[in-house]
PDB file of all heavy atoms in Angstrom:
ATOM      1  N   CYS A  66     108.652 218.057 155.735  1.00 93.00           N
ATOM      2  CA  CYS A  66     107.911 218.192 154.505  1.00 93.00           C
ATOM      3  C   CYS A  66     107.250 216.864 154.225  1.00 93.00           C
ATOM      4  O   CYS A  66     106.013 216.890 153.819  1.00 93.00           O
ATOM      5  CB  CYS A  66     108.855 218.581 153.367  1.00 93.00           C
ATOM      6  SG  CYS A  66     108.023 218.810 151.766  1.00 93.00           S
ATOM      7  N   ARG A  67     107.879 215.811 154.338  1.00 92.00           N
ATOM      8  CA  ARG A  67     107.359 214.439 154.044  1.00 92.00           C
ATOM      9  C   ARG A  67     106.076 214.223 154.977  1.00 92.00           C
ATOM     10  O   ARG A  67     105.013 213.806 154.498  1.00 92.00           O
ATOM     11  CB  ARG A  67     108.337 213.424 154.257  1.00 92.00           C
ATOM     12  CG  ARG A  67     107.810 211.965 153.893  1.00 92.00           C
ATOM     13  CD  ARG A  67     108.847 210.928 154.292  1.00 92.00           C
ATOM     14  NE  ARG A  67     109.002 210.872 155.836  1.00 92.00           N
ATOM     15  CZ  ARG A  67     108.176 210.215 156.601  1.00 92.00           C
ATOM     16  NH1 ARG A  67     107.049 209.621 156.161  1.00 92.00           N
ATOM     17  NH2 ARG A  67     108.380 210.194 157.869  1.00 92.00           N
ATOM     18  N   ARG A  68     106.217 214.576 156.279  1.00 93.00           N
ATOM     19  CA  ARG A  68     105.159 214.302 157.186  1.00 93.00           C
ATOM     20  C   ARG A  68     103.908 215.193 156.832  1.00 93.00           C
ATOM     21  O   ARG A  68     102.893 214.808 157.004  1.00 93.00           O
ATOM     22  CB  ARG A  68     105.636 214.592 158.573  1.00 93.00           C
ATOM     23  CG  ARG A  68     106.610 213.556 159.043  1.00 93.00           C
ATOM     24  CD  ARG A  68     106.853 213.638 160.584  1.00 93.00           C
ATOM     25  NE  ARG A  68     107.894 212.773 161.084  1.00 93.00           N
ATOM     26  CZ  ARG A  68     108.164 212.582 162.336  1.00 93.00           C
ATOM     27  NH1 ARG A  68     107.496 213.194 163.328  1.00 93.00           N
ATOM     28  NH2 ARG A  68     109.129 211.788 162.629  1.00 93.00           N
ATOM     29  N   LEU A  69     104.242 216.437 156.582  1.00 93.00           N
ATOM     30  CA  LEU A  69     103.226 217.456 156.237  1.00 93.00           C
ATOM     31  C   LEU A  69     102.403 217.028 155.010  1.00 93.00           C
ATOM     32  O   LEU A  69     101.249 217.099 155.018  1.00 93.00           O
ATOM     33  CB  LEU A  69     103.698 218.844 155.979  1.00 93.00           C
ATOM     34  CG  LEU A  69     104.336 219.563 157.209  1.00 93.00           C
ATOM     35  CD1 LEU A  69     105.065 220.847 156.808  1.00 93.00           C
ATOM     36  CD2 LEU A  69     103.301 219.844 158.244  1.00 93.00           C
ATOM     37  N   ARG A  70     103.103 216.554 154.037  1.00 89.00           N
ATOM     38  CA  ARG A  70     102.404 216.078 152.805  1.00 89.00           C
ATOM     39  C   ARG A  70     101.550 214.919 153.007  1.00 89.00           C
ATOM     40  O   ARG A  70     100.498 214.733 152.496  1.00 89.00           O
ATOM     41  CB  ARG A  70     103.417 215.920 151.676  1.00 89.00           C
ATOM     42  CG  ARG A  70     102.798 215.642 150.315  1.00 89.00           C
ATOM     43  CD  ARG A  70     101.695 216.619 149.972  1.00 89.00           C
ATOM     44  NE  ARG A  70     102.260 217.989 149.734  1.00 89.00           N
ATOM     45  CZ  ARG A  70     101.724 219.063 150.281  1.00 89.00           C
ATOM     46  NH1 ARG A  70     100.660 219.025 151.087  1.00 89.00           N
ATOM     47  NH2 ARG A  70     102.287 220.217 150.026  1.00 89.00           N
ATOM     48  N   GLU A  71     102.064 213.923 153.821  1.00 86.00           N
ATOM     49  CA  GLU A  71     101.312 212.673 154.153  1.00 86.00           C
ATOM     50  C   GLU A  71     100.020 213.133 154.969  1.00 86.00           C
ATOM     51  O   GLU A  71      98.983 212.459 154.835  1.00 86.00           O
ATOM     52  CB  GLU A  71     102.134 211.767 154.987  1.00 86.00           C
ATOM     53  CG  GLU A  71     103.123 211.068 154.087  1.00 86.00           C
ATOM     54  CD  GLU A  71     103.998 210.078 154.999  1.00 86.00           C
ATOM     55  OE1 GLU A  71     103.752 210.052 156.265  1.00 86.00           O
ATOM     56  OE2 GLU A  71     104.780 209.318 154.391  1.00 86.00           O
ATOM     57  N   ALA A  72     100.104 214.226 155.727  1.00 87.00           N
ATOM     58  CA  ALA A  72      99.013 214.652 156.543  1.00 87.00           C
ATOM     59  C   ALA A  72      97.973 215.374 155.741  1.00 87.00           C
ATOM     60  O   ALA A  72      96.744 215.447 156.258  1.00 87.00           O
ATOM     61  CB  ALA A  72      99.516 215.459 157.702  1.00 87.00           C
ATOM     62  N   GLY A  73      98.257 215.902 154.638  1.00 83.00           N
ATOM     63  CA  GLY A  73      97.225 216.641 153.855  1.00 83.00           C
ATOM     64  C   GLY A  73      97.861 217.443 152.751  1.00 83.00           C
ATOM     65  O   GLY A  73      98.948 217.207 152.374  1.00 83.00           O
ATOM     66  N   ASP A  74      97.023 218.411 152.159  1.00 84.00           N
ATOM     67  CA  ASP A  74      97.468 219.107 150.969  1.00 84.00           C
ATOM     68  C   ASP A  74      97.663 220.581 151.208  1.00 84.00           C
ATOM     69  O   ASP A  74      97.802 221.349 150.332  1.00 84.00           O
ATOM     70  CB  ASP A  74      96.318 219.015 149.896  1.00 84.00           C
ATOM     71  CG  ASP A  74      96.247 217.604 149.325  1.00 84.00           C
ATOM     72  OD1 ASP A  74      97.251 216.854 149.272  1.00 84.00           O
ATOM     73  OD2 ASP A  74      95.187 217.224 148.810  1.00 84.00           O
ATOM     74  N   LYS A  75      97.858 220.981 152.479  1.00 90.00           N
ATOM     75  CA  LYS A  75      98.157 222.467 152.704  1.00 90.00           C
ATOM     76  C   LYS A  75      99.434 222.858 152.113  1.00 90.00           C
ATOM     77  O   LYS A  75     100.487 222.077 151.990  1.00 90.00           O
ATOM     78  CB  LYS A  75      98.309 222.664 154.281  1.00 90.00           C
ATOM     79  CG  LYS A  75      96.919 222.434 154.998  1.00 90.00           C
ATOM     80  CD  LYS A  75      95.858 223.410 154.591  1.00 90.00           C
ATOM     81  CE  LYS A  75      94.566 223.168 155.337  1.00 90.00           C
ATOM     82  NZ  LYS A  75      94.592 223.447 156.706  1.00 90.00           N
ATOM     83  N   PRO A  76      99.513 224.051 151.539  1.00 93.00           N
ATOM     84  CA  PRO A  76     100.689 224.466 150.749  1.00 93.00           C
ATOM     85  C   PRO A  76     101.966 224.489 151.553  1.00 93.00           C
ATOM     86  O   PRO A  76     101.932 224.844 152.765  1.00 93.00           O
ATOM     87  CB  PRO A  76     100.256 225.910 150.244  1.00 93.00           C
ATOM     88  CG  PRO A  76      98.789 225.945 150.348  1.00 93.00           C
ATOM     89  CD  PRO A  76      98.373 225.041 151.506  1.00 93.00           C
ATOM     90  N   ILE A  77     103.043 224.192 150.964  1.00 95.00           N
ATOM     91  CA  ILE A  77     104.394 224.191 151.515  1.00 95.00           C
ATOM     92  C   ILE A  77     105.313 224.987 150.708  1.00 95.00           C
ATOM     93  O   ILE A  77     105.449 224.698 149.523  1.00 95.00           O
ATOM     94  CB  ILE A  77     104.924 222.773 151.865  1.00 95.00           C
ATOM     95  CG1 ILE A  77     103.980 221.952 152.641  1.00 95.00           C
ATOM     96  CG2 ILE A  77     106.333 222.860 152.354  1.00 95.00           C
ATOM     97  CD1 ILE A  77     104.370 220.491 152.672  1.00 95.00           C
ATOM     98  N   LEU A  78     105.928 225.966 151.276  1.00 95.00           N
ATOM     99  CA  LEU A  78     107.030 226.750 150.572  1.00 95.00           C
ATOM    100  C   LEU A  78     108.308 226.525 151.230  1.00 95.00           C
ATOM    101  O   LEU A  78     108.470 226.871 152.382  1.00 95.00           O
ATOM    102  CB  LEU A  78     106.598 228.285 150.538  1.00 95.00           C
ATOM    103  CG  LEU A  78     107.752 229.220 150.063  1.00 95.00           C
ATOM    104  CD1 LEU A  78     108.049 228.963 148.603  1.00 95.00           C
ATOM    105  CD2 LEU A  78     107.257 230.644 150.210  1.00 95.00           C
ATOM    106  N   MET A  79     109.284 225.937 150.558  1.00 93.00           N
ATOM    107  CA  MET A  79     110.566 225.662 151.171  1.00 93.00           C
ATOM    108  C   MET A  79     111.521 226.888 150.822  1.00 93.00           C
ATOM    109  O   MET A  79     111.586 227.343 149.695  1.00 93.00           O
ATOM    110  CB  MET A  79     111.161 224.457 150.481  1.00 93.00           C
ATOM    111  CG  MET A  79     110.814 223.149 151.144  1.00 93.00           C
ATOM    112  SD  MET A  79     111.808 221.673 150.568  1.00 93.00           S
ATOM    113  CE  MET A  79     111.452 220.577 151.836  1.00 93.00           C
ATOM    114  N   ILE A  80     112.279 227.238 151.880  1.00 90.00           N
ATOM    115  CA  ILE A  80     113.303 228.212 151.733  1.00 90.00           C
ATOM    116  C   ILE A  80     114.663 227.527 152.206  1.00 90.00           C
ATOM    117  O   ILE A  80     114.632 226.870 153.224  1.00 90.00           O
ATOM    118  CB  ILE A  80     113.065 229.606 152.516  1.00 90.00           C
ATOM    119  CG1 ILE A  80     112.728 229.276 153.961  1.00 90.00           C
ATOM    120  CG2 ILE A  80     111.811 230.269 151.826  1.00 90.00           C
ATOM    121  CD1 ILE A  80     112.563 230.546 154.804  1.00 90.00           C
ATOM    122  N   THR A  81     115.667 227.822 151.499  1.00 83.00           N
ATOM    123  CA  THR A  81     116.920 227.142 151.835  1.00 83.00           C
ATOM    124  C   THR A  81     118.143 227.958 151.229  1.00 83.00           C
ATOM    125  O   THR A  81     118.005 228.767 150.246  1.00 83.00           O
ATOM    126  CB  THR A  81     116.982 225.729 151.286  1.00 83.00           C
ATOM    127  OG1 THR A  81     118.280 225.145 151.596  1.00 83.00           O
ATOM    128  CG2 THR A  81     116.843 225.718 149.737  1.00 83.00           C
ATOM    129  N   ALA A  82     119.263 227.743 151.806  1.00 78.00           N
ATOM    130  CA  ALA A  82     120.498 228.387 151.322  1.00 78.00           C
ATOM    131  C   ALA A  82     121.020 227.580 150.065  1.00 78.00           C
ATOM    132  O   ALA A  82     121.933 228.075 149.480  1.00 78.00           O
ATOM    133  CB  ALA A  82     121.497 228.393 152.429  1.00 78.00           C
ATOM    134  N   LYS A  83     120.558 226.398 149.823  1.00 70.00           N
ATOM    135  CA  LYS A  83     121.043 225.581 148.777  1.00 70.00           C
ATOM    136  C   LYS A  83     120.015 225.655 147.585  1.00 70.00           C
ATOM    137  O   LYS A  83     118.889 225.440 147.727  1.00 70.00           O
ATOM    138  CB  LYS A  83     121.145 224.092 149.211  1.00 70.00           C
ATOM    139  CG  LYS A  83     122.215 223.954 150.314  1.00 70.00           C
ATOM    140  CD  LYS A  83     122.369 222.492 150.641  1.00 70.00           C
ATOM    141  CE  LYS A  83     123.378 222.300 151.736  1.00 70.00           C
ATOM    142  NZ  LYS A  83     123.556 220.862 152.125  1.00 70.00           N
ATOM    143  N   GLY A  84     120.607 225.974 146.412  1.00 66.00           N
ATOM    144  CA  GLY A  84     119.805 226.065 145.274  1.00 66.00           C
ATOM    145  C   GLY A  84     120.097 225.151 144.173  1.00 66.00           C
ATOM    146  O   GLY A  84     119.647 225.331 142.972  1.00 66.00           O
ATOM    147  N   GLU A  85     120.839 224.092 144.373  1.00 73.00           N
ATOM    148  CA  GLU A  85     121.217 223.149 143.404  1.00 73.00           C
ATOM    149  C   GLU A  85     119.991 222.401 142.859  1.00 73.00           C
ATOM    150  O   GLU A  85     118.993 222.205 143.633  1.00 73.00           O
ATOM    151  CB  GLU A  85     122.138 222.105 143.935  1.00 73.00           C
ATOM    152  CG  GLU A  85     123.525 222.609 144.305  1.00 73.00           C
ATOM    153  CD  GLU A  85     123.578 223.230 145.626  1.00 73.00           C
ATOM    154  OE1 GLU A  85     122.565 223.356 146.319  1.00 73.00           O
ATOM    155  OE2 GLU A  85     124.725 223.686 146.001  1.00 73.00           O
ATOM    156  N   PRO A  86     119.972 222.027 141.511  1.00 76.00           N
ATOM    157  CA  PRO A  86     118.801 221.398 140.934  1.00 76.00           C
ATOM    158  C   PRO A  86     118.318 220.226 141.709  1.00 76.00           C
ATOM    159  O   PRO A  86     117.137 220.002 141.886  1.00 76.00           O
ATOM    160  CB  PRO A  86     119.329 221.068 139.553  1.00 76.00           C
ATOM    161  CG  PRO A  86     120.306 222.100 139.311  1.00 76.00           C
ATOM    162  CD  PRO A  86     120.981 222.382 140.514  1.00 76.00           C
ATOM    163  N   MET A  87     119.297 219.276 142.167  1.00 80.00           N
ATOM    164  CA  MET A  87     118.923 218.086 142.890  1.00 80.00           C
ATOM    165  C   MET A  87     118.173 218.391 144.191  1.00 80.00           C
ATOM    166  O   MET A  87     117.321 217.644 144.652  1.00 80.00           O
ATOM    167  CB  MET A  87     120.092 217.220 143.169  1.00 80.00           C
ATOM    168  CG  MET A  87     120.722 216.606 141.902  1.00 80.00           C
ATOM    169  SD  MET A  87     119.496 215.752 140.907  1.00 80.00           S
ATOM    170  CE  MET A  87     118.977 214.524 141.959  1.00 80.00           C
ATOM    171  N   GLU A  88     118.545 219.527 144.797  1.00 79.00           N
ATOM    172  CA  GLU A  88     117.748 219.934 146.009  1.00 79.00           C
ATOM    173  C   GLU A  88     116.397 220.300 145.752  1.00 79.00           C
ATOM    174  O   GLU A  88     115.488 219.853 146.423  1.00 79.00           O
ATOM    175  CB  GLU A  88     118.508 221.123 146.682  1.00 79.00           C
ATOM    176  CG  GLU A  88     119.813 220.848 147.189  1.00 79.00           C
ATOM    177  CD  GLU A  88     119.852 220.198 148.535  1.00 79.00           C
ATOM    178  OE1 GLU A  88     118.879 220.323 149.320  1.00 79.00           O
ATOM    179  OE2 GLU A  88     120.785 219.605 148.889  1.00 79.00           O
ATOM    180  N   ARG A  89     116.148 221.051 144.622  1.00 80.00           N
ATOM    181  CA  ARG A  89     114.873 221.359 144.289  1.00 80.00           C
ATOM    182  C   ARG A  89     113.981 220.111 143.800  1.00 80.00           C
ATOM    183  O   ARG A  89     112.815 219.929 144.247  1.00 80.00           O
ATOM    184  CB  ARG A  89     114.872 222.378 143.113  1.00 80.00           C
ATOM    185  CG  ARG A  89     115.424 223.728 143.472  1.00 80.00           C
ATOM    186  CD  ARG A  89     115.153 224.817 142.442  1.00 80.00           C
ATOM    187  NE  ARG A  89     115.766 224.435 141.171  1.00 80.00           N
ATOM    188  CZ  ARG A  89     116.963 224.844 140.761  1.00 80.00           C
ATOM    189  NH1 ARG A  89     117.672 225.552 141.610  1.00 80.00           N
ATOM    190  NH2 ARG A  89     117.448 224.565 139.597  1.00 80.00           N
ATOM    191  N   ILE A  90     114.614 219.222 143.150  1.00 82.00           N
ATOM    192  CA  ILE A  90     113.903 217.985 142.659  1.00 82.00           C
ATOM    193  C   ILE A  90     113.557 217.155 143.923  1.00 82.00           C
ATOM    194  O   ILE A  90     112.470 216.688 144.016  1.00 82.00           O
ATOM    195  CB  ILE A  90     114.861 217.202 141.770  1.00 82.00           C
ATOM    196  CG1 ILE A  90     115.054 217.790 140.495  1.00 82.00           C
ATOM    197  CG2 ILE A  90     114.248 215.740 141.582  1.00 82.00           C
ATOM    198  CD1 ILE A  90     116.111 217.329 139.505  1.00 82.00           C
ATOM    199  N   LYS A  91     114.463 216.991 144.898  1.00 84.00           N
ATOM    200  CA  LYS A  91     114.146 216.307 146.113  1.00 84.00           C
ATOM    201  C   LYS A  91     112.963 216.966 146.853  1.00 84.00           C
ATOM    202  O   LYS A  91     112.000 216.238 147.232  1.00 84.00           O
ATOM    203  CB  LYS A  91     115.341 216.212 147.039  1.00 84.00           C
ATOM    204  CG  LYS A  91     115.038 215.407 148.301  1.00 84.00           C
ATOM    205  CD  LYS A  91     116.282 215.286 149.167  1.00 84.00           C
ATOM    206  CE  LYS A  91     116.071 214.476 150.402  1.00 84.00           C
ATOM    207  NZ  LYS A  91     117.291 214.358 151.189  1.00 84.00           N
TER     208      LYS A  91
END
Side-chain angles (χ1 to χ4, degrees):
C66 180
R67 184 188 66 79
R68 293 191 186 189
L69 291 172
R70 187 50 68 230
E71 288 181 351
D74 289 335
K75 295 295 179 69
I77 303 170
L78 170 61
M79 274 192 163
I80 54 174
T81 179
K83 297 183 178 181
E85 291 84 355
M87 291 308 298
E88 294 280 336
R89 294 195 296 271
I90 291 172
K91 182 177 180 179

